[in-house]
Amino acid sequence: EDQVTQSPEALRLQEGESSSLNCSYTVSGLRGLFWYRQDPGKGPEFLFTLYSAGEEKEKERLKATLTKKESFLHITAPKPEDSATYLCAVQAERDDKIIFGKGTRLHILP
Amino acid sequence: GAVVSQHPSRVICKSGTSVKIECRSLDFQATTMFWYRQFPKQSLMLMATSNEGSKATYEQGVEKDKFLINHASLTLSTLTVTSAHPEDSSFYICSARKTEGGGPLHFGNGTRLTVT
């Protein structure tokens, strides 16, 4: 069974304190791994797609990396506006569905 | 871009009534749309895959007679919660892809349903 596990569940950081969020996955043939940001009461906002081990993507203070078993979302010098829930999701080669992890609730303190 | 619009954003209804939620892809066509449900502090759970011009595919445990899905055009899918009960209260979110078969989903802003 395909599975996505994110850790930690919640993370509080001081502004400027860099850290990483983890996404471990089990899938029979990875078609793609996705990172999303979700603000309270809103739909998820797409951040990155990663397709193969060794791939990296960057956007402002965020950088996503991928290995054969896990992905990391690195946050460098975060600001309070980076506070949100970050969701990881995977798509298997065999179908259209995307399966989500439970997310990491990130809170950046000013 | 890839914009998905969902309406209404909030709805309150009485137990036993039905509620329709609309999902539109504004700047692309989508033969497939996906409906998710999210409980507080929980992940998105896929309810069903909506296919333009054909029947929706429901995930295990989702009642197809309660959650009616219609995908009548390449830009519109609707979810109707029939005979709603308080336990149906949740956050419903639709999504679609710009590219068939693979690539990220783009989400609407969700509908908060409260059944009293």
Side-chain angles (χ1 to χ4, degrees), chain A residues 31 34 36 38 41-44 46 49 51 87 91 96-98 100-102, chain B residues 34 36 38 42-44 46 59 91 93 97 101-105 107-109:
Chain A
R31 181 180 286 188
F34 310 95
Y36 289 84
Q38 186 177 25
K42 302 288 187 182
F46 169 68
T49 305
Y51 292 106
L87 299 168
Q91 182 184 8
D96 271 353
K97 295 188 290 188
I98 289 185
F100 283 81
K102 291 185 177 181
Chain B
F34 301 85
Y36 287 84
Q38 187 176 35
Q42 295 295 314
S43 184
L44 282 75
L46 180 64
E59 295 301 300
F91 192 51
I93 321 177
R97 282 197 181 91
L105 293 177
F107 286 85
N109 263 332

Side-chain angles (χ1 to χ4, degrees), chain A residues 32-67:
Chain A
L33 183 142
F34 310 95
W35 281 98
Y36 289 84
R37 168 192 172 129
Q38 186 177 25
D39 292 301
K42 302 288 187 182
E45 174 190 348
F46 169 68
L47 294 174
F48 303 111
T49 305
L50 300 167
Y51 292 106
S52 57
E55 191 175 359
E56 297 182 352
K57 294 273 180 72
E58 281 189 70
K59 179 180 180 180
E60 296 180 354
R61 295 178 290 282
L62 300 176
K63 178 180 177 180
T65 62
L66 181 65
T67 72

Side-chain angles (χ1 to χ4, degrees), chain A residues 1-104:
Chain A
E1 183 182 343
D2 300 334
Q3 205 164 16
V4 179
T5 303
Q6 291 187 247
S7 62
E9 287 187 14
L11 181 61
R12 294 167 70 92
L13 300 172
Q14 289 294 136
E15 182 173 2
E17 182 184 358
S18 301
S19 188
S20 297
L21 313 183
N22 177 262
C23 170
S24 297
Y25 65 91
T26 304
V27 65
S28 53
L30 179 70
R31 181 180 286 188
L33 183 142
F34 310 95
W35 281 98
Y36 289 84
R37 168 192 172 129
Q38 186 177 25
D39 292 301
K42 302 288 187 182
E45 174 190 348
F46 169 68
L47 294 174
F48 303 111
T49 305
L50 300 167
Y51 292 106
S52 57
E55 191 175 359
E56 297 182 352
K57 294 273 180 72
E58 281 189 70
K59 179 180 180 180
E60 296 180 354
R61 295 178 290 282
L62 300 176
K63 178 180 177 180
T65 62
L66 181 65
T67 72
K68 289 187 177 180
K69 294 183 179 180
E70 58 190 350
S71 176
F72 290 94
L73 184 65
H74 307 278
I75 302 178
T76 302
K79 299 181 178 181
E81 55 261 41
D82 294 322
S83 298
T85 296
Y86 290 85
L87 299 168
C88 174
V90 298
Q91 182 184 8
E93 284 180 343
R94 66 179 181 281
D95 61 32
D96 271 353
K97 295 188 290 188
I98 289 185
I99 298 169
F100 283 81
K102 291 185 177 181
T104 294

Side-chain angles (χ1 to χ4, degrees), chain B residues 3-4 7 11-12 19 22-24 26 42 48-49 52 58 63 65-66 76-77 84 86 88 95-96 104-105:
Chain B
V3 180
V4 176
H7 179 80
V11 59
I12 300 172
V19 172
E22 290 190 349
C23 179
R24 295 179 185 273
L26 296 187
Q42 295 295 314
T49 301
E52 188 266 337
Y58 291 82
E63 298 177 59
D65 294 331
K66 166 168 271 300
L76 174 64
S77 175
D88 298 324
S95 62
L105 293 177

Side-chain angles (χ1 to χ4, degrees), chain B residues 13-67:
Chain B
C13 71
K14 292 187 176 181
S15 189
T17 62
S18 296
V19 172
K20 181 185 282 189
I21 302 169
E22 290 190 349
C23 179
R24 295 179 185 273
S25 55
L26 296 187
D27 55 354
F28 66 100
Q29 294 183 330
T31 56
T32 306
M33 292 185 176
F34 301 85
W35 288 93
Y36 287 84
R37 182 174 180 175
Q38 187 176 35
F39 291 103
K41 297 186 178 180
Q42 295 295 314
S43 184
L44 282 75
M45 298 301 297
L46 180 64
M47 298 175 64
T49 301
S50 169
N51 304 296
E52 188 266 337
S54 65
K55 291 183 180 180
T57 304
Y58 291 82
E59 295 301 300
Q60 191 171 10
V62 177
E63 298 177 59
K64 61 181 180 182
D65 294 331
K66 166 168 271 300
F67 299 101

